[in-house]
Each structure stands twice: as structure tokens, then as C-alpha cells.
Amino acid sequence: MSVMTYNGAAIIAMAGKDCVGIAADRRLGVQLTTIATDFPKIFQMQPKLFVGLAGLGTDVQTLKNLLEFRMNLYKLKEERDMSPKVLSHMLGKILYSKRFGPYFVEPIVAGLDESNKPFLSTMDLIGATSEEKDFVVSGTCTGNMFGMCESLYKPNMEAEELFETLAQALLSSVDRDAVSGWGGIVHIITKEGVLTKELKGRQD
Amino acid sequence: MDTVIGVQYKDGVIIAADQANARSILIYQSNLDKIKQLTSHSAMGVSGPNCDLVQFTEYISKNLQLYELRHEGTKLSTKAQANFCRNELAVALRKGPYQVSALLGGFDLTTQKPSLYYLDYMGTLQKVPFGAQGYAQYFTLSTMDREYRENLDETAALDIIGKAIHELQSRFLIKQNNFIIKVIDQDGVRVHSQGADPADT
């Protein structure tokens, strides 16, 4: 039994033309039993900043609370919003601070920075960060997701096309993974706002 | 080994649990009450080693009572109670974990809505319409998936619990004769039925 595959997760984030999208599956399982089909793994930290957390359910929830707390503290002290890059670095430091007793999550940060340019980053459970220009994936079926993204992705997609690409990449990836799936949720962030859509795929 | 099952219906929540207190091949007791009342309108059905069950549930219920005493009788919502439990479990996980898996059900008087929360021993929290802990998951979740609908009434919800218990008693290897069933609704927490009276010493 691996702690990283205990609850199951699949998260993809992609960059488009002046927009980013982040998508996740909705399953909460205990190994092969499904407990719920509406478990949130993507959290809106700010109007144009989302964090996706894949891994052990309890640590997803703990880290979400911890991030919100640290973000609120930052906003009170700095009197400004946190940029995606800063959040990503802070998250990396939080994870490394537990180097020898880590949080079992592999997060994704997706958002638009102050000049509405897309920002994507991912890291492992001890905070090794990687910023990307095209797409980032995390979860129990990263092999599948990398394959789907590599073939479906085109640079500079508009919001509508980005949504389609993300949705198809996610659904096809989770269909071949036993512990992720049971629906999906997609958020597309543009400078106008956020569009959220729920996906219905194979319910197994 | 412990069975805890819960179903939410239109005006309340029903939680059922087996009454055995056992370790290895020995049953110490068969009239244990594993559904601990937390506040006037909430209760938590728990599964795990007896020491952790007692320590955890008493710690939570006393802290919730303390909150009400300190805040002039303000009651915490079921969501707040569930999140408090989650936090305690998550913090304890990396120090000295409580091996307690729970189903927390409550009725909020302010919103007149019931809610049921699945809480596992590591601190994973999820609001669910129905749920089960332990081996019972493998036997009862599919029956509850089939029978559950929105806006059930109390009789229908009790019927679903009955079907789930029946499934366990016919197919689960461990014989669980006694079940205690509690209903949480507008009027509070009450015992609907019990296999054996926990008060018998």
C-alpha cells in the first residue's frame, strides 16, 4: 500500500493564450472502495489563483487550511495579494520544512500573475519545484496524463479550446486508472474571470 | 471489525453501530454503545480500539460543551464540529494517532438541515449522504447506493439501515447480533432501537 495512491487523484493544469486551466477528478476512495464522488482537490486561493493538491486526503485538507492561513497572514502583513510565483515558492518551503516527515501531497499551482500572464508550477512531496510554460500534471496516473497532454496540447489556445483539451486529457487519463475518476471539474481562468464546469465521464 | 453505518434523510440523520467490544478471538462485551452523543443535536458513531474510542469521543464532546459554556450557549454547527474533529485527528496523526474512524451526524437548528460526515482515522473529512466504516463498507455501500434518494422520510431511512444490517448479518463472517440505532433530528438525539442495553453491567 502506498500512501500516495491510497485515496486516488488526478490533476492537470494547462496554459493558453492569456488564460490557464486547471482540472481534477472528484473521487475520494479508500484504496479500491469509493467513499465519495465530490471530494474537492482544487482550491481557489485568490480570484485568479488556484492550487490543486493530489495525494493523501487528510494532508490535502491540512495543507489547504495551512495555505489559506499563510496567505491571509501575508495579505495582512504585506497589504497586497500573493502572486502565483510567491505562493509556489512558499508552498515549496512549507513542504521542505517537513523533509523527514513530509506531507503526502504533490501540489500544482496555476494562476494569472499581475500582468495576466499564465503561471504554472508543480512540485514533489518535499518541495522540489518545477515551473512550466505548457502543462503540469500530478496524481496517481501521471503517466497517462503526460501522454494525453503531450499529444493534445497546442500553445496559445483560447479559453474554449483550452477547456476542451483539458477535459479530454483528464477524462481519457483517469479512465485507465482504477483509483481516480468518477467525474471531473475544470476551472478556466481568464482576465475576465473564472469559468467552472463539471465533467461527467465513466462512473467507475 | 466494528460496523458503523449512517444515512441522512430529509429531517435528520440515522446512525447505527454494532455493539460488540472484541479483541482477537474474544468478545469482552456485547452491549457497548459506540454512538457517542457530542452535543444536544449531534452524535458520532465510532470504530476502532476501545481505548481510542473512549478517549477521543470524550475529549471531543467535552471540548464542544466547553465551547458552549464559554460562548453563552452558542451552538457550533455540525460542519464546525466535524472540522474540529478533523483537525484533532490530523494533528494527532503525526504525534500519537487516534485509530478512530467515525461517522458524525448532526441536525443544525439554525438552518433546519441535517448533515452526515465521513471521518477516517487520518483526518480525511467528507460530507456524505450515507456512509459506512470498517468492513461494513464492502457489504453495505452498494445497497445504500441503490436505495438512497434525496428527501427520504424517517421510515424509509430506517428501512435502508435495516437492509444494510440484514446484508451484514447474512454475508459478513463476523456475527454481529446486536446493533444500536440512534436518530438525530429536530428534537435531538434519541435511541431508536438497541440489541442489548448498554446500561446493563
Side-chain angles (χ1 to χ4, degrees):
Chain A
M1 184 200 80
S2 162
V3 281
M4 297 303 288
T5 59
Y6 187 74
N7 294 123
I11 310 184
I12 308 179
M14 272 188 192
K17 192 167 183 346
D18 301 326
C19 59
V20 272
I22 183 167
D25 74 318
R26 311 210 67 187
R27 180 179 179 272
L28 173 71
V30 171
Q31 295 183 296
L32 292 178
T33 316
T34 302
I35 301 292
T37 55
D38 55 358
F39 186 70
K41 295 167 200 171
I42 298 179
F43 305 100
Q44 184 165 20
M45 297 275 116
Q46 269 170 193
K48 298 203 183 115
L49 181 50
F50 283 73
V51 173
L53 297 165
L56 195 61
T58 179
D59 286 346
V60 165
Q61 294 178 320
T62 299
L63 216 46
K64 177 242 177 189
N65 290 334
L66 196 54
L67 275 179
E68 248 178 51
F69 168 68
R70 292 291 300 266
M71 192 158 221
N72 287 338
L73 214 51
Y74 180 93
K75 283 190 193 178
L76 284 170
K77 286 184 185 174
E78 301 266 327
E79 293 178 352
R80 60 184 170 129
D81 281 348
M82 207 182 234
S83 68
K85 192 169 182 178
V86 170
L87 180 70
S88 176
H89 285 207
M90 183 183 76
L91 188 44
K93 289 213 76 174
I94 290 174
L95 293 173
Y96 194 78
S97 74
K98 300 278 187 192
R99 170 66 177 81
F100 300 107
Y103 290 117
F104 297 105
V105 279
E106 291 185 334
I108 283 180
V109 178
L112 297 175
D113 66 15
E114 293 89 3
S115 45
N116 287 322
K117 212 161 67 72
F119 178 91
L120 291 176
S121 79
T122 186
M123 58 203 86
D124 70 3
L125 76 172
I126 46 174
T129 314
S130 147
E131 276 176 42
E132 301 297 333
K133 291 198 171 45
D134 41 18
F135 52 83
V136 287
V137 302
S138 181
T140 48
C141 53
T142 49
N144 305 1
M145 292 188 284
F146 271 126
M148 288 308 302
C149 289
E150 202 66 63
S151 26
L152 296 183
Y153 180 80
K154 293 194 311 279
N156 292 320
M157 286 184 278
E158 297 286 345
E160 300 244 327
E161 203 189 347
L162 185 66
F163 166 77
E164 274 307 318
T165 311
L166 252 182
Q168 291 306 318
L170 183 74
L171 285 177
S172 297
S173 306
V174 302
D175 282 351
R176 283 287 188 179
D177 181 19
V179 290
S180 57
W182 278 96
I185 191 158
V186 186
H187 302 279
I188 305 287
I189 310 139
T190 61
K191 62 181 191 289
E192 279 86 46
V194 178
L195 240 76
T196 301
K197 294 195 194 158
E198 289 178 15
L199 305 173
K200 185 157 185 184
R202 282 183 66 104
Q203 302 293 295
D204 64 358
Chain B
M1 300 303 167
D2 304 328
T3 294
V4 185
I5 41 187
V7 175
Q8 183 191 314
Y9 64 97
K10 184 160 182 284
D11 304 310
V13 185
I14 304 179
I15 301 182
D18 78 300
Q19 292 189 268
N21 182 2
R23 190 180 292 175
S24 176
I25 56 169
L26 181 60
I27 303 175
Y28 291 122
Q29 176 190 8
S30 35
N31 65 345
L32 181 62
D33 181 3
K34 290 184 218 173
I35 306 174
K36 176 83 181 169
Q37 180 160 358
L38 300 178
T39 65
S40 61
H41 288 75
S42 64
M44 187 161 67
V46 285
S47 85
N50 194 248
C51 50
D52 286 345
L53 298 191
V54 172
Q55 289 290 90
F56 182 69
T57 55
E58 284 185 3
Y59 175 69
I60 297 293
S61 70
K62 299 286 170 263
N63 267 285
L64 294 177
Q65 280 169 16
L66 183 61
Y67 183 92
E68 279 183 33
L69 286 170
R70 279 183 175 154
H71 294 86
E72 290 98 38
T74 314
K75 290 184 192 300
L76 279 171
S77 64
T78 316
K79 184 176 179 179
Q81 294 175 31
N83 275 288
F84 173 63
C85 288
R86 190 212 95 79
N87 197 250
E88 290 301 314
L89 288 168
V91 165
L93 180 63
R94 287 172 159 93
K95 292 181 181 173
Y98 291 109
Q99 287 174 313
V100 175
S101 292
L103 281 173
L104 199 162
F107 188 87
D108 285 305
L109 292 167
T110 44
T111 57
Q112 291 291 300
K113 280 196 160 67
S115 43
L116 178 66
Y117 289 89
Y118 170 94
L119 197 52
D120 84 358
Y121 71 96
M122 292 186 283
T124 315
L125 175 70
Q126 178 68 0
K127 185 175 184 304
V128 290
F130 55 84
Q133 291 284 10
Y135 285 113
Q137 280 177 356
Y138 301 107
F139 297 91
T140 61
L141 281 179
S142 35
T143 306
M144 293 197 279
D145 268 325
R146 178 87 198 265
E147 304 286 333
Y148 180 83
R149 312 170 290 290
E150 294 280 323
N151 296 324
L152 289 162
D153 62 20
E154 189 186 320
T155 324
L158 282 165
D159 186 55
I160 294 178
I161 294 276
K163 285 195 164 90
I165 292 174
H166 182 257
E167 188 65 37
L168 282 164
Q169 287 176 332
S170 53
R171 288 293 189 179
F172 186 29
L173 182 66
I174 313 243
K175 207 149 172 276
Q176 293 173 323
N177 292 322
N178 295 330
F179 274 86
I180 184 165
I181 304 178
K182 292 195 182 175
V183 178
I184 305 141
D185 60 14
Q186 176 133 39
D187 304 321
V189 182
R190 67 173 190 282
V191 176
H192 173 263
S193 69
Q194 55 195 18
D197 189 351
D200 284 339
T201 46

